[in-house]
Amino acid sequence: MGRLTLAGFAGRFAASLLLVLITFNPSGASYLGWIAGSFPHISPPQAIVGVLLVALWIFFVHATWRSLGLVGLIVGTAFFGSVLWLLASWGWFSASSHVALIWFVLLMIACILTVGLCWGLIRVRVSGQAVVEEVQR
């Protein structure tokens, strides 16, 4: 549990990407696509899935916020924004291709969530210093 492995990183990335794509993706096969057809009327299964997704988003975002903080999130967003700029300068993205841009942003969100979930283990591996959370008595 205390070591970051490639399989652990890949598993966290898969979980982050799955959460992002189940919530929304441009193909319409997502939770938001599912409820969009009947909104504002939501069925009980849609409500259950929605509550589960909200709980998962709270867990992932809270873990990412606690490990990266505001500065880490700004740096991560700036990094991926720069990558997008680079790819656009190479002609990989065009102004008319909104779908490709949406897919890139969804991938970016999954990557930032993954780094947030792994950051404590990365810091231990790089610096050798363990991070100890404050425990209230």
Side-chain angles (χ1 to χ4, degrees):
M1 169 100 185
R3 292 192 42 193
L4 180 64
T5 63
L6 185 58
F9 185 84
R12 287 171 178 88
F13 176 72
S16 297
L17 187 61
L18 190 63
L19 176 63
V20 168
L21 296 180
I22 284 175
T23 304
F24 171 76
N25 65 68
S27 73
S30 65
Y31 178 73
L32 291 177
W34 182 31
I35 66 167
S38 61
F39 194 79
H41 303 290
I42 295 177
S43 68
Q46 290 172 327
I48 291 170
V49 171
V51 169
L52 289 173
L53 282 174
V54 166
L56 286 170
W57 272 104
I58 290 170
F59 174 79
F60 277 62
V61 169
H62 180 70
T64 299
W65 180 263
R66 294 229 351 138
S67 64
L68 297 180
L70 179 62
V71 173
L73 290 173
I74 289 171
V75 169
T77 303
F79 172 77
F80 285 109
S82 299
V83 170
L84 176 61
W85 185 11
L86 176 67
L87 295 176
S89 73
W90 289 347
W92 290 22
F93 290 105
S94 68
S96 62
S97 177
H98 298 326
V99 174
L101 181 61
I102 291 170
W103 281 108
F104 181 83
V105 169
L106 294 173
L107 181 63
M108 176 196 79
I109 293 168
C111 287
I112 289 174
L113 289 174
T114 302
V115 171
L117 293 174
C118 296
W119 190 250
L121 297 172
I122 293 170
R123 184 176 19 212
V124 168
R125 185 166 221 157
V126 170
S127 70
Q129 296 177 340
V131 176
V132 179
E133 296 290 327
E134 292 183 32
V135 179
Q136 293 181 345
R137 296 178 194 197

